[in-house]
Amino acid sequence: MAKHETPLLDQLETGPWPSFVTDIKRQAETKPECWDILGILELSYEDRITHWKHGGIVGVFGYGGGIVGRYADVPEQFPGVEHFHTVRVAQPASKYYSTANLRQLMDLWEKHGSGMTNFHGSTGDIILLGTRTENLEPLFWDLTHDMGQDLGGSGSNLRTPANCVGQSRCEWACYDTEECCHHLTMHYQDEIHRPAFPYKFKFKFSGCPNDCVAAIARSDVAVIGTWRDDIQIDQAAVKEYVAGNYPANGGAHSDKDWGPFDIQKEVIDLCPTECMWMEGDELKIDNSECTRCMHCINVMPRALRPGLDKGASICVGAKAPILDGAQFSTLIIPFMKISKDNEFEELIDFIETIWDWWMEVGKNRERVGETMQRVGLPTFLSVMGVEPIPQHVKEPRSNPYVFWKEEEVEGGFERDIIEFRKRHAA
Amino acid sequence: MPTIEHNGSSFEVDEDGFLLNGDDFNADWVDYVKGVEGISEMTDEHQKVIDALQEYYKKNGIAPMVRILSKTTGFPLKRIYELFPSGPGKGACKMAGLPKPTGCV
Ligand code: HEM
Ligand code: SF4
Ligand code: SF4
C-alpha cells in the first residue's frame, strides 16, 4: 500500500527506460521508510524546490570524510528521511564485481540503511543512499571487519580515484590503468581519509586518448595513456577493411547505411594532421606528424594499434566552473613511463611535487587549476622542475605583457634617474 | 532544534550537535563534546587546539585551514586526529564552539 500519493512521480513509471520510481516503490515493499523518499520528492516536484536542509557534518571516528550528512526540512511529514546520510564506499578498479561481494554489501545496507543506492557516484564511489547517524559506526564496523572494504573520500582531500577498464578488456590501453589506480589509492589512504588540502583533489586514469573515464575534464591530475613510437599497421587487415570484409569502427555505425567503407574519406581525409596516405594498396603514416588522436585506430581496430613504446601524458588542473570558470587539464608532462615495476615512482614524485607546493600556496577552497591560473603556467612549470617546451601551449601568447626575471635582464632593475637625466634633460 | 542539558548548562545545537550560538561556549560544553566525540581525557594539547581555533575565528571570522591549524599548534594532522578522532572539523571545531563547516564536504 502506498503511504503517500505521488501523482507526478507516477508519470515517470511510463516509457521504456528503467524507472527509478518503480524501483523505489519495489524497495518500499520491504523498507517502508522508502515511501518517504518518494513523498519528499513528490513534494519537491510540487514546490519546485529542494526539501533537504543545508549541509550536514557526520562521519566515523578516525576519518574526516566519506559520509555526506543530510536532513529533511520536513521531518514531521517524512520521518523516514529525517536523517538521510549518504555513505561513499570505495569501489574496485573498473567496477568489476562478483555477485558474492554485491550480495554481502546489499545485506549490510538492508541492515543499516535504506537499501537505496547509486551505482556509482560520478567520482566512482559506490553510493549508499540514506541512513541515520546512529547506524554509521555499526555499518563502518561491518564494512571493514566483514567485507574488508573501506569508505571513499569527501571534503578537502584526495577523492576516490577512478580508471577506465584499461588492459582488462581493451586493446588500446597503453598502461595498466587498474593497477595504477589501485596502487595510488592504497598509497594515499591517509590523504583520502583525512582532509589536509586547501580543497578537493582528484586523480583519474585513462589508458588512451579516448579517455573513457573523462580524466581530462574531471580530475586535477589526469593520467592519459599514449605511445611515442610508430602506430602498428597490419597491411593485410587494411585490405580487408578496404574490401568491406571488416566493419569500420567495429560496426558502431551499422544501424544506418553510410555506404561502403571509403578509407580516403573516413580515415585519411579526417586525420587532423594529414599525415596519412595510400601508396598503392598500402596505408602509410608519417608518425613524426601524428598527434596520436586515436581516430584511425578507432576506425580500423583490427588493422591499426598503438605503438609499442607506451606510457602516459600527465595533464593538470581540470575543474568545474566555480569559482573562476570551467577548465580542462593542461598538458604538463607529454610522456611518462607508467610502470608497476618501480611502484609508479615517477608519477608519485610528480603528484607530491604538486601537493608540496599547492598545500603551501593554495588559498582556502582554491582548486589547483585556479592556483595555476593565479601564478601562471611558467611559474607552475618552474615549481614542478619542468622545462617549458612548445607542447605546453596551444599557441603562444598574443599580448606583450611579458615578465622578465631581474637576472635575465642585463644591468638588472636598479636604475638611477639622475644618470638617465644626464643623457635626456627633462 | 534540539537542546542539550549538561552539568546544569543548556545548549541550543543543530542536528549535527554544533552550537547554534558560539557565546554559549563554556567548560560544560567542552565536557559534553568530549563524551560524544570519542575523547577519553582532556589534555593541554586538546586545549591548545581549542584555543588556536577560537583565536583564529575571533580574528578572521572563519575557521583556519587545516594547514594553518597545524602550523599554529605545531601538531601534524596525524596528532590532531589522535586528539580528536572525528578530525579538526567535526571534532575540534565542534568542541571549540565554532559554526559547522560548510561546502562540498
Ligand atoms: C611616449 C609616450 C607614451 C607612452 C610610451 C605611453 C604608454 C602608454 C601605455 C603603456 C599605456 C597602457 C596601455 C594599456 O594598459 O592598455 C598607456 C595608456 C594611456 N595613455 Fe599613454 N603613452 C604615451 C603618451 C601618452 C600621451 C601623450 C597621452 C595623452 C595626451 C597618453 C594617454 C594615455 C591614455 C588616456 C591611456 C589610457 C588608455 C586606456 O586606458 O585605454 N599617453 N600609455
Ligand atoms: S580510455 Fe582508451 S584504453 Fe581506456 S577503455 Fe577507453 S579506449 Fe580503452
Ligand atoms: S592517430 Fe590521428 S593523427 Fe595519428 S595518424 Fe591516426 S588519425 Fe592521424
Side-chain angles (χ1 to χ4, degrees), chain A residues 227 231 267-268 270-276 284-287 289-298 304:
Chain A
W227 63 95
I231 290 178
V267 180
I268 295 173
L270 293 182
C271 169
T273 63
E274 300 175 12
C275 69
M276 311 180 82
K284 299 286 179 191
I285 300 176
D286 177 359
N287 283 279
E289 292 296 325
C290 164
T291 56
R292 287 129 182 103
C293 76
M294 292 297 295
H295 175 71
C296 58
I297 298 173
N298 288 340
L304 303 177

Side-chain angles (χ1 to χ4, degrees), chain A residues 53-54 56-64 67-68 71 154-155 159 193-196 198-200 358-360 362-365, chain B residues 1 15-16 18 36-39 62-63 65-67 71 77-78 81 84-90 94 100-105:
Chain A
K53 286 190 194 177
H54 180 71
I57 292 287
V58 294
V60 295
F61 286 152
Y63 290 4
I67 298 166
V68 182
Y71 302 93
S154 72
R159 301 292 180 92
H193 295 307
R194 284 171 280 280
Y199 202 12
K200 64 178 86 163
W358 181 58
M359 285 170 72
E360 270 313 306
K363 296 186 180 177
N364 196 17
R365 299 252 165 102
Chain B
M1 282 295 152
E15 48 278 274
D16 290 322
F18 280 78
V36 294
E37 289 299 336
I39 297 160
I62 53 167
M65 286 196 272
V66 168
R67 180 171 87 247
K71 255 188 196 157
L77 189 59
K78 191 165 169 286
Y81 272 89
F84 298 92
S86 298
K90 181 170 174 281
K94 182 189 279 183
K100 177 153 78 184
T102 57
C104 183
V105 295

